Every structure is written in C-alpha cells, then in structure tokens.
Amino acid sequence: MDNSKPSNLDALRDLIGRESERLTPRMRDAARYAVDHPNDIALNPVATVAAVAKIAPAAFIRMAKALGFDGYSDLQRLFRAPLQHAVKPTFRERIRHFGGEQTLDNPDDPAEVLRAFSQANIVSLEHLQDDAASLPLQEAIALIQNARIVHVLGLRRSYAVAAYLAYALNRVGQPAVQITGLGGTIAEQASTASPQDLLIAISFPPYAADTLQVCEQVRLRGAKRLAITDAFMSPVAKGADLVLEVNDAKLQGFRSLTSAMCLAQTLAMGLAFAKRNKRAKKSATPPPLAADLDDIDC
C-alpha cells in the first residue's frame, strides 16, 4: 500500500479509491464514513465519531494509519484544514450536503426548513456544476446509445429518478425499461438483460439489497453497468463499467433528489443531442438545431 500521506481531501478520496480493496471491511466502512461526514471527523474525537457511526474506534485508527497518517489525530488535521475560517456548527438539526452542512435552528418551522433545505440543494447543485467537467458524461451517453435496451433500476427513494430516466430515454428514442420489482418479480425482470444491454443502477444510502442483487445478476449475464450513486466506494459502484457520483442534501432520513434528477436529465438531453447529430451527419440537409427536439416533452 502507498504510505505517502495525502495533502488534501481530494487526494485522500483518490487514495481511498485506489486502496479500498486492500483495506479490511471495517476500515472501508470507516473510510466511507469519513468521506461522507467530513465535519464530524474534523470536529469530534474518535470515540464520538465511532459511537455515531456505529464503527469501532480502532477501525478509524487503523484506517488512518493504513492511509499513511500517524493516527486519527493526524487524519483529523486534514479534515480541519477547510474549516479554519468557518464557524463551528451548533448541535442543532443539521442539513448535510455535498461539501459540508448547515444548521437548522427551528425545525418546527416549515418555512425555515424549506429555506434551509433549498439553500442546501443550491450548494449541492453548485458542487455538481463545478464537478461537471470531471464526470465521465460523454462515456455514459455512449454506453446508453450503444445499448440494445437500457434497463433502469432505482428502488425506494431512488425510484423517482429511475422512473423519470426510463421515461426520458424512451422519449428520445432509446429503448428503455424500468425494473420495478412489482409483485416480487425483480429477478425475473432483470433476467431479460443480455450482453448487448446496459443496466443503469441508481442507489444511495441505505443501499437497497435488491439493487445489489440485480447488479450481480446482470453482471453474470454479461450486460454492462452504469452506476449512479453517492460515492466511489458505494457497493453499487463496485464492478460497474462506469460510475457517476452525485451527492444531494440530506436532513435526517430525508434525502433530496435535486442533483440526481439533474444528472438524469443531463443524460437524456445529451443522448437526444447525440442522436440528432448522428442523424444530421447522414442527412444532406440537416434540420434546424432544435427542430426535432421541440416535442420530446422531457
């Protein structure tokens, strides 16, 4: 394992991604928690973090040392650096979002919840906007375009994103079916996937067990897989041909779908433009830019 110590959080994420298979399962859990809850690591001793995460303190310490740090305190300094000029959050309700969190002083006031949650979503979308150039969007669109049929799977809170994406792909002329598991037939629905097909698996914590089961089932059938999930260490990302990482705001058990839906719309729109450009190259008189996209209604 590379024992060079990361100098910032981005370098730490990259190192965890490279070395995750060499970490023990509990060390991977600790690394995932650290990446998902940077302020918790920055502001709390290991015993407090371990109690909240329900992971043994030793796992955090061993994980830190395995990644090149002297121990938990050394790792904590890396997480504290971005907060040097920030105000320490209070111990009220917190809305977590990509890159941080914001406090909610009066959760009994729906208007305050709406304002705070909207602001957290704005921050999440701004990070998605900043990360756009680093996401493998062209590769994802090519995977979709080259598939015979796209099977879209998203259960529980991810269901709405999957339903929209399956609808939008069909609207832009890409055959797509949504795996819903209706009537307990999720394995039977997934069994129609062939090596010429693509599975788009959408899942966020807590990851649905049925989604992970279908990912393995489709892998054995030889189909390609695109994962849309919150972290590169997500179990849905493991073994995927391509991963699109997206993070949404979260208040307790409520997770926003704003950024995930924006990403789904981007894939559908990007595919629509790719198909239009392909048709234009074959035509002696290409249509106006939006002439064949006005009625898509996505």
Side-chain angles (χ1 to χ4, degrees), residues 119-160:
Q119 180 58 39
N121 274 292
I122 289 170
V123 174
S124 295
L125 283 171
E126 286 174 343
H127 279 278
L128 182 63
Q129 182 182 41
D130 292 341
D131 292 343
S134 63
L135 291 173
L137 297 172
Q138 291 287 5
E139 294 91 334
I141 291 169
L143 272 179
I144 295 170
Q145 189 171 15
N146 293 331
R148 180 185 70 98
I149 296 176
V150 178
H151 304 260
V152 187
L153 173 62
L155 302 176
R156 300 171 62 171
R157 72 179 83 190
S158 303
Y159 185 92

Side-chain angles (χ1 to χ4, degrees), residues 17-244:
R18 293 195 307 270
E19 303 291 352
S20 62
E21 292 300 319
R22 300 189 183 184
L23 300 176
T24 66
R26 296 310 284 164
M27 288 163 63
R28 283 198 296 271
D29 290 341
R32 184 181 296 116
Y33 186 89
V35 169
D36 289 345
H37 305 85
N39 284 5
D40 283 2
I41 302 298
L43 300 172
N44 295 297
V46 66
T48 301
V49 172
V52 173
K54 295 182 173 58
I55 300 170
F60 286 94
I61 297 169
R62 288 197 297 268
M63 176 270 294
K65 291 183 176 180
L67 296 176
F69 296 91
D70 295 334
Y72 178 82
S73 296
D74 193 21
L75 173 70
Q76 192 177 42
R77 280 191 283 271
L78 187 70
F79 282 86
R80 283 179 174 171
L83 302 180
Q84 286 178 347
H85 304 291
V87 177
K88 182 176 179 178
T90 65
F91 290 97
R92 300 182 178 93
E93 299 287 358
R94 303 178 190 179
I95 297 178
R96 302 184 188 279
H97 53 80
F98 190 84
E101 59 187 25
Q102 87 189 70
T103 57
L104 185 61
D105 293 329
N106 185 13
D108 294 327
D109 181 357
E112 182 179 340
V113 172
L114 177 58
R115 285 192 294 268
F117 210 40
S118 297
Q119 180 58 39
N121 274 292
I122 289 170
V123 174
S124 295
L125 283 171
E126 286 174 343
H127 279 278
L128 182 63
Q129 182 182 41
D130 292 341
D131 292 343
S134 63
L135 291 173
L137 297 172
Q138 291 287 5
E139 294 91 334
I141 291 169
L143 272 179
I144 295 170
Q145 189 171 15
N146 293 331
R148 180 185 70 98
I149 296 176
V150 178
H151 304 260
V152 187
L153 173 62
L155 302 176
R156 300 171 62 171
R157 72 179 83 190
S158 303
Y159 185 92
V161 181
Y164 169 79
L165 185 54
Y167 162 79
L169 291 179
N170 279 303
R171 291 294 295 170
V172 302
Q174 178 64 42
V177 295
Q178 183 185 2
I179 298 176
T180 62
L182 186 64
T185 61
I186 194 165
E188 288 76 11
Q189 290 178 347
S191 68
T192 63
S194 77
Q196 292 76 43
D197 294 350
L198 171 70
L199 172 67
I200 300 180
I202 308 166
S203 190
F204 302 96
Y207 309 101
D210 283 345
T211 297
L212 301 179
Q213 175 187 324
V214 169
C215 287
E216 176 63 14
Q217 181 181 351
V218 168
R219 183 189 69 80
L220 294 174
R221 296 188 65 85
K224 294 187 180 298
R225 179 155 56 90
L226 167 63
I228 298 178
T229 188
D230 66 309
F232 55 91
M233 291 183 67
S234 158
V236 181
K238 185 175 181 180
D241 294 274
L242 200 65
V243 178
L244 292 175

